[in-house]
Short mmCIF file of all heavy atoms in Angstrom, two decimals:
data_model
loop_
_atom_site.label_atom_id
_atom_site.label_comp_id
_atom_site.label_asym_id
_atom_site.label_seq_id
_atom_site.Cartn_x
_atom_site.Cartn_y
_atom_site.Cartn_z
N LEU Y 250 6.18 -112.31 3.24
CA LEU Y 250 6.50 -113.71 3.53
C LEU Y 250 7.95 -113.88 3.98
O LEU Y 250 8.27 -114.85 4.66
CB LEU Y 250 6.23 -114.58 2.30
CG LEU Y 250 4.74 -114.84 2.04
CD1 LEU Y 250 4.56 -115.63 0.74
CD2 LEU Y 250 4.11 -115.59 3.20
N TRP Y 251 8.82 -112.93 3.63
CA TRP Y 251 10.19 -113.01 4.15
C TRP Y 251 10.18 -112.87 5.67
O TRP Y 251 11.05 -113.41 6.37
CB TRP Y 251 11.09 -111.94 3.53
CG TRP Y 251 11.52 -112.31 2.15
CD1 TRP Y 251 11.17 -111.69 0.99
CD2 TRP Y 251 12.36 -113.41 1.78
NE1 TRP Y 251 11.74 -112.34 -0.08
CE2 TRP Y 251 12.48 -113.40 0.38
CE3 TRP Y 251 13.01 -114.43 2.48
CZ2 TRP Y 251 13.22 -114.35 -0.32
CZ3 TRP Y 251 13.75 -115.37 1.79
CH2 TRP Y 251 13.86 -115.32 0.41
N PHE Y 254 9.41 -116.25 7.09
CA PHE Y 254 10.63 -117.07 7.11
C PHE Y 254 11.50 -116.71 8.31
O PHE Y 254 11.96 -117.59 9.06
CB PHE Y 254 11.41 -116.88 5.80
CG PHE Y 254 12.79 -117.47 5.86
CD1 PHE Y 254 12.98 -118.84 5.96
CD2 PHE Y 254 13.91 -116.64 5.85
CE1 PHE Y 254 14.26 -119.39 6.03
CE2 PHE Y 254 15.18 -117.17 5.93
CZ PHE Y 254 15.36 -118.54 6.02
N VAL Y 257 10.06 -117.86 11.70
CA VAL Y 257 10.23 -119.29 12.00
C VAL Y 257 11.71 -119.62 12.21
O VAL Y 257 12.08 -120.22 13.23
CB VAL Y 257 9.64 -120.16 10.86
CG1 VAL Y 257 9.87 -121.64 11.17
CG2 VAL Y 257 8.16 -119.88 10.68
N THR Y 266 17.67 -122.52 19.90
CA THR Y 266 18.87 -123.36 19.87
C THR Y 266 20.14 -122.56 20.17
O THR Y 266 21.04 -123.07 20.84
CB THR Y 266 19.03 -124.04 18.49
OG1 THR Y 266 19.12 -123.03 17.48
CG2 THR Y 266 17.85 -124.96 18.19
N LYS Y 270 19.05 -122.06 25.22
CA LYS Y 270 19.69 -122.97 26.17
C LYS Y 270 20.72 -122.26 27.04
O LYS Y 270 20.80 -122.47 28.25
CB LYS Y 270 20.33 -124.15 25.42
CG LYS Y 270 19.29 -125.03 24.77
CD LYS Y 270 19.91 -126.16 23.98
CE LYS Y 270 18.80 -126.95 23.30
NZ LYS Y 270 19.31 -128.05 22.48
N ARG Y 273 18.94 -120.02 29.58
CA ARG Y 273 18.40 -120.76 30.73
C ARG Y 273 19.51 -121.06 31.75
O ARG Y 273 19.37 -120.80 32.93
CB ARG Y 273 17.77 -122.08 30.27
CG ARG Y 273 17.27 -122.96 31.42
CD ARG Y 273 16.67 -124.25 30.92
NE ARG Y 273 17.64 -125.27 30.59
CZ ARG Y 273 18.17 -126.14 31.46
NH1 ARG Y 273 17.83 -126.10 32.73
NH2 ARG Y 273 19.06 -127.05 31.06
N ARG Y 274 20.63 -121.56 31.24
CA ARG Y 274 21.69 -121.98 32.15
C ARG Y 274 22.37 -120.79 32.83
O ARG Y 274 22.66 -120.83 34.02
CB ARG Y 274 22.72 -122.82 31.38
CG ARG Y 274 22.12 -124.13 30.90
CD ARG Y 274 23.10 -124.93 30.09
NE ARG Y 274 22.44 -126.10 29.53
CZ ARG Y 274 23.01 -127.28 29.37
NH1 ARG Y 274 24.25 -127.46 29.73
NH2 ARG Y 274 22.34 -128.28 28.85
N ASP Y 280 20.90 -116.52 38.96
CA ASP Y 280 19.60 -116.34 39.64
C ASP Y 280 18.87 -115.10 39.10
O ASP Y 280 18.38 -114.28 39.87
CB ASP Y 280 19.79 -116.20 41.15
CG ASP Y 280 18.45 -116.30 41.89
OD1 ASP Y 280 17.56 -116.99 41.37
OD2 ASP Y 280 18.30 -115.67 42.94
N ARG Y 290 23.43 -108.78 35.89
CA ARG Y 290 24.29 -109.69 36.66
C ARG Y 290 25.44 -110.23 35.83
O ARG Y 290 26.53 -110.47 36.34
CB ARG Y 290 23.43 -110.81 37.24
CG ARG Y 290 22.50 -110.26 38.31
CD ARG Y 290 21.76 -111.30 39.10
NE ARG Y 290 21.06 -110.64 40.19
CZ ARG Y 290 20.28 -111.24 41.06
NH1 ARG Y 290 20.06 -112.54 40.98
NH2 ARG Y 290 19.70 -110.55 42.03
N GLN Y 293 27.74 -107.38 35.93
CA GLN Y 293 27.92 -106.83 37.29
C GLN Y 293 27.67 -105.32 37.31
O GLN Y 293 28.48 -104.54 37.81
CB GLN Y 293 29.35 -107.11 37.78
CG GLN Y 293 29.63 -108.60 37.96
CD GLN Y 293 31.02 -108.85 38.46
OE1 GLN Y 293 31.98 -108.64 37.71
NE2 GLN Y 293 31.15 -109.26 39.71
N ARG Y 295 24.63 -102.38 37.94
CA ARG Y 295 23.29 -101.91 38.25
C ARG Y 295 22.80 -100.98 37.15
O ARG Y 295 21.61 -100.92 36.85
CB ARG Y 295 23.29 -101.16 39.59
CG ARG Y 295 23.16 -102.09 40.78
CD ARG Y 295 23.31 -101.35 42.09
NE ARG Y 295 22.60 -100.08 42.09
CZ ARG Y 295 22.92 -99.05 42.88
NH1 ARG Y 295 23.94 -99.16 43.72
NH2 ARG Y 295 22.24 -97.94 42.85
N TYR Y 378 -8.11 -120.57 0.40
CA TYR Y 378 -7.60 -121.31 -0.78
C TYR Y 378 -8.74 -122.05 -1.47
O TYR Y 378 -8.80 -122.11 -2.70
CB TYR Y 378 -6.49 -122.28 -0.37
CG TYR Y 378 -5.11 -121.65 -0.35
CD1 TYR Y 378 -4.19 -121.96 0.66
CD2 TYR Y 378 -4.70 -120.76 -1.34
CE1 TYR Y 378 -2.92 -121.40 0.68
CE2 TYR Y 378 -3.43 -120.19 -1.33
CZ TYR Y 378 -2.54 -120.52 -0.32
OH TYR Y 378 -1.28 -119.96 -0.31
N HIS Y 388 -2.94 -117.79 -6.10
CA HIS Y 388 -1.78 -116.92 -6.29
C HIS Y 388 -1.82 -116.25 -7.67
O HIS Y 388 -1.48 -115.07 -7.83
CB HIS Y 388 -0.48 -117.71 -6.13
CG HIS Y 388 -0.30 -118.27 -4.75
ND1 HIS Y 388 0.65 -119.21 -4.44
CD2 HIS Y 388 -0.98 -118.04 -3.60
CE1 HIS Y 388 0.56 -119.53 -3.15
NE2 HIS Y 388 -0.42 -118.84 -2.63
N GLN Y 389 -2.23 -117.04 -8.67
CA GLN Y 389 -2.31 -116.51 -10.03
C GLN Y 389 -3.32 -115.36 -10.10
O GLN Y 389 -3.06 -114.31 -10.70
CB GLN Y 389 -2.73 -117.63 -10.98
CG GLN Y 389 -2.65 -117.28 -12.46
CD GLN Y 389 -1.21 -116.99 -12.90
OE1 GLN Y 389 -0.31 -117.78 -12.65
NE2 GLN Y 389 -1.00 -115.83 -13.53
N THR Y 411 2.02 -110.24 -5.91
CA THR Y 411 2.97 -111.37 -6.04
C THR Y 411 4.17 -110.98 -6.90
O THR Y 411 5.06 -111.78 -7.12
CB THR Y 411 2.30 -112.63 -6.64
OG1 THR Y 411 2.06 -112.40 -8.04
CG2 THR Y 411 1.01 -112.97 -5.94
N GLN Y 412 4.15 -109.73 -7.39
CA GLN Y 412 5.29 -109.25 -8.21
C GLN Y 412 6.36 -108.61 -7.33
O GLN Y 412 7.50 -108.45 -7.74
CB GLN Y 412 4.81 -108.24 -9.26
CG GLN Y 412 4.03 -108.84 -10.42
CD GLN Y 412 2.57 -109.12 -10.07
OE1 GLN Y 412 2.12 -108.88 -8.96
NE2 GLN Y 412 1.82 -109.65 -11.02
N TYR Y 425 11.29 -103.96 3.88
CA TYR Y 425 12.40 -104.87 4.21
C TYR Y 425 13.23 -104.40 5.41
O TYR Y 425 13.73 -105.25 6.16
CB TYR Y 425 13.28 -105.11 2.98
CG TYR Y 425 12.60 -106.03 2.00
CD1 TYR Y 425 12.19 -105.59 0.75
CD2 TYR Y 425 12.32 -107.35 2.34
CE1 TYR Y 425 11.53 -106.43 -0.14
CE2 TYR Y 425 11.67 -108.21 1.47
CZ TYR Y 425 11.28 -107.74 0.23
OH TYR Y 425 10.61 -108.58 -0.63
N ALA Y 449 12.14 -122.22 31.49
CA ALA Y 449 12.24 -123.66 31.19
C ALA Y 449 12.93 -124.40 32.33
O ALA Y 449 13.92 -123.93 32.88
CB ALA Y 449 13.00 -123.85 29.89
N GLY Y 450 12.41 -125.58 32.62
CA GLY Y 450 13.01 -126.39 33.67
C GLY Y 450 14.21 -127.19 33.18
O GLY Y 450 15.06 -127.61 33.97
N SER Y 451 14.29 -127.42 31.88
CA SER Y 451 15.43 -128.16 31.31
C SER Y 451 15.50 -127.86 29.81
O SER Y 451 14.60 -127.21 29.26
CB SER Y 451 15.27 -129.66 31.54
OG SER Y 451 14.26 -130.17 30.68
N ASP Y 452 16.54 -128.40 29.15
CA ASP Y 452 16.66 -128.20 27.70
C ASP Y 452 15.53 -128.89 26.95
O ASP Y 452 15.20 -128.52 25.82
CB ASP Y 452 18.00 -128.75 27.20
CG ASP Y 452 19.17 -127.88 27.64
OD1 ASP Y 452 18.92 -126.77 28.15
OD2 ASP Y 452 20.32 -128.32 27.49
N ARG Y 453 14.96 -129.94 27.56
CA ARG Y 453 13.91 -130.68 26.88
C ARG Y 453 12.74 -129.76 26.51
O ARG Y 453 12.19 -129.84 25.42
CB ARG Y 453 13.42 -131.81 27.78
CG ARG Y 453 12.47 -132.77 27.08
CD ARG Y 453 12.10 -133.92 27.97
NE ARG Y 453 11.50 -133.46 29.21
CZ ARG Y 453 11.29 -134.24 30.28
NH1 ARG Y 453 11.68 -135.49 30.26
NH2 ARG Y 453 10.74 -133.75 31.36
N ASN Y 456 13.83 -127.75 23.51
CA ASN Y 456 13.87 -128.56 22.28
C ASN Y 456 12.46 -128.81 21.74
O ASN Y 456 12.21 -128.70 20.54
CB ASN Y 456 14.55 -129.90 22.56
CG ASN Y 456 16.03 -129.74 22.83
OD1 ASN Y 456 16.67 -128.85 22.28
ND2 ASN Y 456 16.58 -130.58 23.68
N ARG Y 457 11.56 -129.16 22.65
CA ARG Y 457 10.19 -129.43 22.20
C ARG Y 457 9.49 -128.15 21.77
O ARG Y 457 8.61 -128.18 20.91
CB ARG Y 457 9.40 -130.12 23.32
CG ARG Y 457 9.94 -131.52 23.60
CD ARG Y 457 9.15 -132.23 24.67
NE ARG Y 457 9.73 -133.54 24.95
CZ ARG Y 457 9.21 -134.42 25.80
NH1 ARG Y 457 8.09 -134.12 26.45
NH2 ARG Y 457 9.79 -135.58 26.00
N VAL Y 459 10.88 -125.88 20.07
CA VAL Y 459 11.28 -125.65 18.68
C VAL Y 459 10.28 -126.35 17.76
O VAL Y 459 9.81 -125.80 16.76
CB VAL Y 459 12.72 -126.16 18.42
CG1 VAL Y 459 13.07 -126.03 16.95
CG2 VAL Y 459 13.71 -125.37 19.27
N LEU Y 460 9.94 -127.58 18.14
CA LEU Y 460 9.00 -128.36 17.34
C LEU Y 460 7.63 -127.66 17.26
O LEU Y 460 7.13 -127.34 16.18
CB LEU Y 460 8.85 -129.74 17.97
CG LEU Y 460 8.18 -130.86 17.15
CD1 LEU Y 460 8.52 -132.23 17.76
CD2 LEU Y 460 6.67 -130.72 17.09
N ARG Y 550 16.77 -102.16 41.46
CA ARG Y 550 18.18 -102.35 41.17
C ARG Y 550 18.83 -101.08 40.63
O ARG Y 550 19.89 -100.67 41.10
CB ARG Y 550 18.38 -103.50 40.17
CG ARG Y 550 18.04 -104.85 40.73
CD ARG Y 550 18.94 -105.25 41.89
NE ARG Y 550 20.34 -105.12 41.55
CZ ARG Y 550 21.32 -104.97 42.44
NH1 ARG Y 550 21.00 -104.91 43.73
NH2 ARG Y 550 22.57 -104.86 42.06
N LYS Y 616 32.03 -104.96 31.14
CA LYS Y 616 30.96 -104.07 31.59
C LYS Y 616 30.99 -102.75 30.80
O LYS Y 616 29.95 -102.26 30.35
CB LYS Y 616 31.10 -103.78 33.09
CG LYS Y 616 30.03 -102.85 33.62
CD LYS Y 616 29.98 -102.83 35.13
CE LYS Y 616 30.99 -101.88 35.72
NZ LYS Y 616 30.85 -101.76 37.20
N ARG Y 707 29.41 -121.42 34.65
CA ARG Y 707 29.55 -122.70 35.36
C ARG Y 707 28.57 -123.78 34.88
O ARG Y 707 28.82 -124.96 35.07
CB ARG Y 707 29.38 -122.48 36.86
CG ARG Y 707 28.01 -122.00 37.31
CD ARG Y 707 27.96 -121.81 38.80
NE ARG Y 707 26.79 -121.05 39.17
CZ ARG Y 707 26.21 -121.09 40.35
NH1 ARG Y 707 26.74 -121.86 41.28
NH2 ARG Y 707 25.16 -120.37 40.61
N HIS Y 708 27.46 -123.39 34.26
CA HIS Y 708 26.52 -124.40 33.76
C HIS Y 708 26.55 -124.53 32.24
O HIS Y 708 25.74 -125.26 31.67
CB HIS Y 708 25.09 -124.05 34.19
CG HIS Y 708 24.91 -123.98 35.67
ND1 HIS Y 708 25.47 -124.90 36.54
CD2 HIS Y 708 24.22 -123.11 36.46
CE1 HIS Y 708 25.14 -124.59 37.78
NE2 HIS Y 708 24.40 -123.51 37.76
N LEU O 57 4.59 -121.70 -7.96
CA LEU O 57 3.34 -121.78 -7.19
C LEU O 57 2.34 -120.68 -7.58
O LEU O 57 1.52 -120.26 -6.78
CB LEU O 57 3.63 -121.66 -5.69
CG LEU O 57 4.46 -122.75 -5.05
CD1 LEU O 57 4.96 -122.29 -3.68
CD2 LEU O 57 3.66 -124.03 -4.90
N GLY O 58 2.48 -120.20 -8.81
CA GLY O 58 1.57 -119.14 -9.25
C GLY O 58 2.00 -117.76 -8.79
O GLY O 58 1.28 -116.78 -9.01
N ILE O 59 3.17 -117.68 -8.12
CA ILE O 59 3.67 -116.39 -7.62
C ILE O 59 4.58 -115.78 -8.68
O ILE O 59 5.52 -116.43 -9.14
CB ILE O 59 4.43 -116.59 -6.29
CG1 ILE O 59 3.48 -117.16 -5.24
CG2 ILE O 59 5.05 -115.27 -5.81
CD1 ILE O 59 4.14 -117.59 -3.95
N ALA O 60 4.30 -114.54 -9.07
CA ALA O 60 5.00 -113.94 -10.20
C ALA O 60 6.51 -113.78 -9.97
O ALA O 60 7.31 -114.12 -10.83
CB ALA O 60 4.37 -112.58 -10.53
N ALA O 61 6.89 -113.26 -8.81
CA ALA O 61 8.33 -113.03 -8.55
C ALA O 61 8.94 -114.28 -7.91
O ALA O 61 8.44 -114.77 -6.89
CB ALA O 61 8.49 -111.83 -7.63
N GLU O 63 11.59 -114.55 -6.26
CA GLU O 63 12.08 -114.23 -4.90
C GLU O 63 10.99 -114.47 -3.86
O GLU O 63 11.24 -115.03 -2.78
CB GLU O 63 12.49 -112.75 -4.89
CG GLU O 63 12.75 -112.16 -3.55
CD GLU O 63 12.14 -110.77 -3.36
OE1 GLU O 63 11.64 -110.18 -4.33
OE2 GLU O 63 12.15 -110.30 -2.21
N ALA O 67 10.48 -117.21 -0.74
CA ALA O 67 10.09 -116.85 0.63
C ALA O 67 8.99 -117.80 1.11
O ALA O 67 9.00 -118.26 2.26
CB ALA O 67 9.60 -115.40 0.68
N TYR O 68 8.05 -118.11 0.23
CA TYR O 68 6.94 -119.02 0.55
C TYR O 68 7.49 -120.41 0.90
O TYR O 68 7.15 -120.99 1.93
CB TYR O 68 6.01 -119.08 -0.66
CG TYR O 68 4.67 -119.74 -0.44
CD1 TYR O 68 3.53 -118.98 -0.23
CD2 TYR O 68 4.52 -121.12 -0.49
CE1 TYR O 68 2.28 -119.56 -0.06
CE2 TYR O 68 3.29 -121.72 -0.32
CZ TYR O 68 2.17 -120.95 -0.10
OH TYR O 68 0.95 -121.55 0.08
N LEU O 70 10.69 -121.32 1.59
CA LEU O 70 11.65 -121.33 2.71
C LEU O 70 10.94 -121.25 4.06
O LEU O 70 11.42 -121.81 5.06
CB LEU O 70 12.65 -120.16 2.57
CG LEU O 70 13.74 -120.37 1.53
CD1 LEU O 70 14.55 -119.08 1.34
CD2 LEU O 70 14.67 -121.52 1.90
N SER O 71 9.81 -120.57 4.10
CA SER O 71 9.05 -120.50 5.35
C SER O 71 8.61 -121.90 5.77
O SER O 71 8.71 -122.29 6.93
CB SER O 71 7.82 -119.61 5.18
OG SER O 71 8.21 -118.30 4.83
N ALA O 74 11.66 -123.93 6.80
CA ALA O 74 12.15 -123.55 8.13
C ALA O 74 11.30 -124.22 9.21
O ALA O 74 11.83 -124.69 10.24
CB ALA O 74 12.10 -122.03 8.29
N ALA O 75 10.00 -124.30 8.98
CA ALA O 75 9.12 -124.97 9.95
C ALA O 75 9.46 -126.46 10.00
O ALA O 75 9.46 -127.08 11.09
CB ALA O 75 7.67 -124.75 9.59
N CYS O 78 12.45 -127.01 12.09
CA CYS O 78 12.09 -126.95 13.52
C CYS O 78 11.49 -128.29 13.98
O CYS O 78 11.81 -128.79 15.06
CB CYS O 78 11.08 -125.83 13.77
SG CYS O 78 11.77 -124.18 13.58
N TYR O 81 14.32 -130.96 14.09
CA TYR O 81 15.19 -130.71 15.25
C TYR O 81 14.48 -131.09 16.55
O TYR O 81 15.04 -131.75 17.41
CB TYR O 81 15.59 -129.23 15.27
CG TYR O 81 16.49 -128.88 16.45
CD1 TYR O 81 17.87 -128.98 16.34
CD2 TYR O 81 15.94 -128.46 17.65
CE1 TYR O 81 18.68 -128.66 17.42
CE2 TYR O 81 16.75 -128.14 18.73
CZ TYR O 81 18.12 -128.24 18.61
OH TYR O 81 18.92 -127.94 19.69
N GLY O 82 13.23 -130.66 16.65
CA GLY O 82 12.46 -130.94 17.86
C GLY O 82 12.30 -132.44 18.10
O GLY O 82 12.36 -132.91 19.24
N LEU O 83 12.08 -133.18 17.01
CA LEU O 83 11.90 -134.63 17.14
C LEU O 83 13.22 -135.31 17.52
O LEU O 83 13.25 -136.20 18.38
CB LEU O 83 11.36 -135.22 15.84
CG LEU O 83 9.90 -134.88 15.53
CD1 LEU O 83 9.51 -135.37 14.15
CD2 LEU O 83 8.97 -135.48 16.59
N LYS O 85 15.74 -134.03 19.12
CA LYS O 85 16.15 -133.65 20.48
C LYS O 85 15.00 -133.78 21.48
O LYS O 85 15.06 -133.19 22.56
CB LYS O 85 16.62 -132.18 20.47
CG LYS O 85 17.81 -131.91 19.58
CD LYS O 85 19.07 -132.03 20.39
CE LYS O 85 20.28 -131.57 19.62
NZ LYS O 85 21.50 -131.66 20.42
N PHE O 86 13.97 -134.52 21.11
CA PHE O 86 12.73 -134.54 21.88
C PHE O 86 12.96 -134.86 23.37
O PHE O 86 12.35 -134.26 24.25
CB PHE O 86 11.77 -135.58 21.28
CG PHE O 86 10.34 -135.36 21.67
CD1 PHE O 86 9.61 -134.32 21.11
CD2 PHE O 86 9.70 -136.19 22.57
CE1 PHE O 86 8.28 -134.10 21.45
CE2 PHE O 86 8.37 -135.98 22.92
CZ PHE O 86 7.67 -134.93 22.36
N ASN O 87 13.83 -135.78 23.64
CA ASN O 87 14.04 -136.20 25.05
C ASN O 87 15.38 -135.75 25.62
O ASN O 87 15.80 -136.23 26.67
CB ASN O 87 13.91 -137.72 25.17
CG ASN O 87 12.46 -138.14 25.03
OD1 ASN O 87 11.56 -137.52 25.59
ND2 ASN O 87 12.23 -139.18 24.23
N ASP O 88 16.07 -134.87 24.90
CA ASP O 88 17.37 -134.37 25.36
C ASP O 88 17.14 -133.25 26.38
O ASP O 88 16.85 -132.12 26.02
CB ASP O 88 18.14 -133.84 24.13
CG ASP O 88 19.53 -133.37 24.50
OD1 ASP O 88 19.87 -133.42 25.70
OD2 ASP O 88 20.27 -132.93 23.60
N SER O 89 17.26 -133.60 27.66
CA SER O 89 16.88 -132.62 28.68
C SER O 89 18.03 -131.80 29.23
O SER O 89 17.84 -130.70 29.73
CB SER O 89 16.15 -133.32 29.83
OG SER O 89 17.06 -134.08 30.55
N PRO O 91 20.92 -130.84 32.06
CA PRO O 91 20.68 -130.73 33.50
C PRO O 91 19.42 -129.94 33.82
O PRO O 91 19.11 -128.98 33.12
CB PRO O 91 21.92 -129.99 34.00
CG PRO O 91 22.45 -129.27 32.82
CD PRO O 91 22.09 -130.08 31.62
N LEU O 92 18.69 -130.36 34.83
CA LEU O 92 17.49 -129.65 35.22
C LEU O 92 17.85 -128.34 35.91
O LEU O 92 18.85 -128.26 36.62
CB LEU O 92 16.64 -130.50 36.19
CG LEU O 92 16.18 -131.86 35.66
CD1 LEU O 92 15.39 -132.59 36.74
CD2 LEU O 92 15.35 -131.70 34.41
N SER O 93 17.00 -127.33 35.70
CA SER O 93 17.26 -126.04 36.34
C SER O 93 17.32 -126.18 37.86
O SER O 93 18.12 -125.54 38.53
CB SER O 93 16.17 -125.03 35.95
OG SER O 93 16.27 -124.71 34.60
N LEU O 96 20.61 -127.27 38.92
CA LEU O 96 21.66 -126.27 38.70
C LEU O 96 21.64 -125.16 39.74
O LEU O 96 22.61 -124.42 39.88
CB LEU O 96 21.50 -125.64 37.31
CG LEU O 96 21.65 -126.57 36.11
CD1 LEU O 96 21.36 -125.81 34.82
CD2 LEU O 96 23.06 -127.14 36.05
N ASP O 98 22.25 -123.24 42.66
CA ASP O 98 23.18 -123.30 43.79
C ASP O 98 23.67 -121.87 43.98
O ASP O 98 24.54 -121.40 43.27
CB ASP O 98 24.35 -124.24 43.48
CG ASP O 98 25.44 -124.09 44.53
OD1 ASP O 98 25.15 -123.56 45.62
OD2 ASP O 98 26.59 -124.50 44.26
N PHE O 99 23.07 -121.21 44.91
CA PHE O 99 23.36 -119.79 45.05
C PHE O 99 24.47 -119.51 46.06
O PHE O 99 24.73 -118.37 46.40
CB PHE O 99 22.10 -119.03 45.45
CG PHE O 99 20.96 -119.29 44.54
CD1 PHE O 99 19.71 -119.57 45.05
CD2 PHE O 99 21.14 -119.29 43.17
CE1 PHE O 99 18.65 -119.83 44.20
CE2 PHE O 99 20.10 -119.56 42.32
CZ PHE O 99 18.84 -119.82 42.83
N TRP O 102 26.89 -117.19 44.68
CA TRP O 102 26.43 -115.97 44.04
C TRP O 102 26.64 -114.76 44.93
O TRP O 102 26.38 -114.79 46.13
CB TRP O 102 24.94 -116.09 43.69
CG TRP O 102 24.44 -114.83 43.07
CD1 TRP O 102 24.66 -114.41 41.80
CD2 TRP O 102 23.70 -113.80 43.71
NE1 TRP O 102 24.09 -113.19 41.59
CE2 TRP O 102 23.48 -112.78 42.76
CE3 TRP O 102 23.20 -113.62 44.99
CZ2 TRP O 102 22.81 -111.63 43.03
CZ3 TRP O 102 22.51 -112.46 45.26
CH2 TRP O 102 22.31 -111.48 44.29
N PRO O 105 25.63 -108.14 42.25
CA PRO O 105 26.50 -107.40 41.34
C PRO O 105 26.85 -106.01 41.87
O PRO O 105 26.06 -105.39 42.57
CB PRO O 105 25.63 -107.29 40.08
CG PRO O 105 24.23 -107.44 40.55
CD PRO O 105 24.29 -108.33 41.74
N GLY O 106 28.04 -105.57 41.56
CA GLY O 106 28.45 -104.23 41.96
C GLY O 106 28.12 -103.23 40.89
O GLY O 106 27.27 -103.50 40.06
N ASP O 107 28.75 -102.10 40.86
CA ASP O 107 28.48 -101.14 39.81
C ASP O 107 29.77 -100.41 39.43
O ASP O 107 30.39 -99.83 40.25
CB ASP O 107 27.42 -100.14 40.27
CG ASP O 107 26.84 -99.41 39.07
OD1 ASP O 107 27.19 -99.80 37.94
OD2 ASP O 107 26.07 -98.50 39.25
#
Side-chain angles (χ1 to χ4, degrees):
Chain Y
L250 286 176
W251 282 113
F254 169 67
V257 178
T266 59
K270 293 178 183 178
R273 176 181 80 86
R274 295 177 186 215
D280 192 30
R290 292 189 172 177
Q293 295 181 290
R295 276 174 42 204
Y378 273 141
H388 296 168
Q389 189 64 51
T411 72
Q412 287 81 359
Y425 286 113
S451 73
D452 289 349
R453 189 176 57 192
N456 291 328
R457 293 182 183 183
V459 175
L460 194 162
R550 292 297 308 157
K616 180 167 83 175
R707 65 180 165 156
H708 300 318
Chain O
L57 297 165
I59 298 172
E63 168 224 351
Y68 192 100
L70 284 172
S71 299
C78 291
Y81 180 89
L83 289 173
K85 299 267 189 179
F86 200 74
N87 288 317
D88 183 358
S89 71
L92 301 178
S93 292
L96 297 176
D98 169 18
F99 307 134
W102 178 76
D107 197 6

